């Protein structure tokens, strides 16, 4: 590895370290209560080290939000090209849960801390014009539109937005319980894969028209 490549890798590693510390502090204390000095102290660096990567606290927060939602969008939209909307829905649901349980602190900040919502709303769209996280939701809605148009849903299920929002609510509920209660022994949680498999079966059997 050349010197320039090593420097670039170290730069990315330092940026990730700063963002991880910032995410933890935003979750612990809220956006307004966190300072760059506190973030620097968390990683045992000077505040100057943060200014190398970010203009100010809001710039750090903005990039953090975009990075987390970009990963979330990528995880779900990678399945957008699957022709069969039923298979696509199953893949999207599994990708959603996998993202949330693999990156729990990111997921918590994105969807489980309403006190950060006001700050999210200040974050401008990316250069492509899309708001953070919208691509993932649009992929889910488009899948439900295809299910409606192909007559794959049970009679009466004609609103793709309602179906998409119900599916989202179901997988979010599973994720929330897994993150909050998985380690409580009295609940006797089964494996994540087993519970996810049951959930996806319930979703599909609940919304899809029975086949002959």
């Amino acid at each position: 590895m050349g010197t320039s490549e090593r420097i670039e890798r170290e730069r990315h590693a330092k940026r990730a370290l700063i963002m991880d510390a910032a995410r933890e502090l935003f979750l612990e204390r809220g956006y307004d209560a966190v300072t760059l000095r506190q973030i620097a102290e968390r990683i045992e660096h000077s505040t100057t080290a943060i200014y190398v990567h970010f203009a100010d606290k809001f710039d750090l927060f903005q990039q953090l939000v975009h990075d987390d939602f970009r990963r979330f969008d990528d995880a779900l939209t990678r399945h957008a090209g699957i022709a069969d909307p039923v298979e696509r829905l199953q893949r999207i649901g599994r990708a959603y849960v996998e993202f949330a349980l693999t990156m729990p602190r990111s997921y918590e900040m994105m969807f489980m801390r309403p006190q950060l919502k006001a700050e999210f709303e200040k974050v401008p769209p990316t250069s492509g014009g899309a708001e953070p996280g919208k691509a993932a939701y649009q992929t889910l809605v488009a899948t439900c539109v295809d299910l409606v148009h192909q007559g794959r849903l049970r009679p009466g299920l004609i609103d793709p937005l309602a179906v998409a929002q119900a599916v989202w609510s179901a997988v979010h509920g599973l994720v929330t319980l897994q993150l909050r209660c998985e380690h409580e022994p009295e609940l006797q949680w089964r494996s994540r894969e087993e519970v996810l498999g049951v959930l996806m079966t319930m979703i599909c059997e609940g919304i899809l028209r029975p086949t002959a």
Side-chain angles (χ1 to χ4, degrees):
M1 178 184 298
T3 301
S4 61
E5 293 176 334
R6 177 179 57 79
I7 293 174
E8 185 65 14
R9 188 173 70 173
E10 291 175 352
R11 188 184 73 81
H12 281 293
K14 178 67 69 61
R15 180 178 182 273
L17 182 66
I18 294 168
M19 296 176 82
D20 287 345
R23 184 185 297 108
E24 293 294 327
L25 284 168
F26 290 141
L27 287 169
E28 290 172 13
R29 306 176 186 181
Y31 177 83
D32 291 334
V34 175
T35 66
L36 290 183
R37 181 180 295 278
Q38 291 169 343
I39 296 170
E41 290 174 351
R42 177 65 62 96
I43 61 175
E44 299 181 343
H45 283 71
S46 68
T47 307
T48 303
I50 298 179
Y51 282 116
V52 171
H53 299 271
F54 307 99
D56 51 31
K57 186 176 75 169
F58 182 71
D59 181 47
L60 195 167
F61 183 80
Q62 174 182 328
Q63 293 193 44
L64 180 61
V65 170
H66 279 303
D67 276 17
D68 283 350
F69 274 107
R70 177 184 54 77
R71 292 188 180 95
F72 178 69
D73 282 340
D74 289 347
L76 273 63
T77 58
R78 70 181 57 177
H79 303 294
I82 297 175
D84 179 9
V86 175
E87 180 183 355
R88 194 189 321 149
L89 181 68
Q90 294 172 334
R91 295 284 190 89
I92 289 172
R94 288 180 172 276
Y96 186 108
V97 174
E98 182 179 353
F99 172 90
L101 299 182
T102 301
M103 303 182 65
R105 300 302 274 170
S106 294
Y107 187 85
E108 184 175 358
M109 187 167 140
M110 293 158 60
F111 294 115
M112 297 170 64
R113 290 300 179 94
Q115 66 268 34
L116 290 173
K117 186 175 185 298
E119 298 304 324
F120 283 173
E121 291 173 347
K122 298 176 185 177
V123 175
T126 61
S127 57
E131 294 182 34
K134 285 297 190 291
Y137 180 63
Q138 290 165 357
T139 299
L140 174 60
V141 170
T143 300
C144 294
V145 168
D146 288 345
L147 289 169
V148 171
H149 287 172
Q150 293 181 20
R152 307 287 290 275
L153 299 182
R154 289 181 179 273
L157 297 182
I158 58 174
D159 183 349
L161 284 176
V163 174
Q165 289 159 13
V167 171
W168 184 10
S169 298
V171 292
H172 174 72
L174 169 61
V175 165
T176 302
L177 287 173
Q178 288 274 1
L179 294 179
R180 289 286 188 259
C181 307
E182 184 179 32
H183 301 294
E184 296 183 16
E186 66 274 14
L187 295 179
Q188 300 183 3
W189 272 94
R190 295 314 190 228
S191 70
R192 291 175 174 180
E193 182 59 33
E194 181 179 357
V195 176
L196 176 58
V198 172
L199 177 68
M200 295 311 299
T201 298
M202 290 172 57
I203 290 173
C204 289
E205 291 187 356
I207 66 173
L208 295 177
R209 185 184 298 271
T211 56

